[in-house]
Amino acid sequence: MLEINLSKKHLKWGLSFLFLLLFLFFLRPLVAVPFGYVGIILEHGKVQKTVMGEGLHLRVPGYQEIVYLDCRVHSLEMQTLASSRDLQTVNAAISLYYHVDPSQAGELYQKEGISFEDNLITPIIQESLQTVSACYSSRELLAHYPQVVAQSSKIITRRLAESHIIVDKFNITSLVFTSPAILSQLLTNRDCSQNIGEFAPLDVSFL
């Protein structure tokens, strides 16, 4: 009689353990947020203000969905066209290092989704550089290269911060002018040539 009771108890424990495994496997109430990421909580598709930090968390199966957003530092290299004050077209190569503010990642995701680099960051860089370059002539873009970078960085940093993206480093690494005659004048200008050497890396050329 005792052996039968023990067998039934073992069977009950075994079935309970199997049920627990099936529950964990199919419903997945536990989520692990990787290093450098945050977990954005969606409740019936609605983004919540609170985010999950790194580590193991519980979620409500069937009610909560977790989207992982990378908050590590990212690099962006891009080309953009701008016009100087004297209406010369310049192709600028941009280098940007940035990361998402982890505490505000939910709001960023709600407004821009996962593709915020293409939908938000790239247009802001293009618009900001066009705004700054329009204030300088071709010669001044080189003669005042540090100011051009600083002003562009200030505008980009402010505008991205409004969307909870933090700029770690910004630089203009090359300027390509469309007119070789203009480039020749720029390179023979003392102020321009000094700035090219002093504030390298800046590659200056023409199409």
Side-chain angles (χ1 to χ4, degrees):
M1 189 69 178
L2 181 60
E3 291 181 359
I4 294 175
N5 289 336
L6 287 175
S7 298
K8 288 183 178 179
K9 186 178 293 187
H10 290 159
L11 179 60
K12 184 178 179 180
W13 288 346
L15 291 174
S16 299
F17 182 70
L18 180 60
F19 176 78
L20 178 61
L21 289 179
L22 292 174
F23 175 77
L24 293 175
F25 180 78
F26 287 104
L27 298 182
R28 298 184 180 180
L30 294 176
V31 294
V33 180
F35 172 78
Y37 286 71
V38 294
I40 299 171
I41 305 171
L42 306 181
E43 294 183 355
H44 289 310
K46 184 179 180 180
V47 178
Q48 304 301 301
K49 292 183 178 180
T50 305
V51 297
M52 294 179 175
E54 301 167 3
L56 200 62
H57 300 268
L58 279 172
R59 73 176 181 96
V60 181
Y63 179 67
Q64 291 181 326
E65 179 185 353
I66 310 301
V67 176
Y68 301 113
L69 190 66
D70 192 347
C71 295
R72 297 172 297 179
V73 176
H74 292 265
S75 64
L76 173 62
E77 307 285 338
M78 60 173 286
Q79 303 278 339
T80 184
L81 290 175
S83 296
S84 62
R85 193 178 62 205
D86 51 353
L87 303 180
Q88 297 302 317
T89 301
V90 182
N91 190 339
I94 304 300
S95 174
L96 177 74
Y97 290 84
Y98 71 91
H99 69 276
V100 175
D101 181 355
S103 64
Q104 302 297 325
E107 185 173 343
L108 173 63
Y109 176 79
Q110 186 176 26
K111 291 181 177 180
E112 303 295 337
I114 291 294
S115 303
F116 57 84
E117 186 171 283
D118 294 330
N119 299 334
L120 179 69
I121 298 178
T122 297
I124 284 179
I125 291 176
Q126 292 171 336
E127 294 167 8
S128 301
L129 190 62
Q130 289 169 1
T131 299
V132 173
S133 65
C135 299
Y136 294 87
S137 66
S138 301
R139 184 190 67 80
E140 290 169 342
L141 284 175
L142 291 181
H144 303 290
Y145 165 69
Q147 291 94 320
V148 172
V149 174
Q151 290 177 13
S152 301
S153 179
K154 183 177 180 179
I155 295 174
I156 292 168
T157 299
R158 175 180 54 80
R159 292 190 61 187
L160 289 180
E162 293 172 355
S163 297
H164 313 300
I165 297 174
I166 300 170
V167 173
D168 297 288
K169 185 179 180 181
F170 170 84
N171 199 14
I172 301 173
T173 57
S174 76
L175 295 173
V176 180
F177 293 87
T178 56
S179 171
I182 291 177
L183 178 63
S184 177
Q185 294 175 2
L186 297 178
L187 294 179
T188 55
N189 182 280
R190 182 180 177 185
D191 292 336
C192 295
S193 60
Q194 283 180 342
N195 279 332
I196 293 173
E198 184 178 355
F199 297 98
L202 175 65
D203 180 34
V204 183
S205 57
F206 61 89
L207 292 175

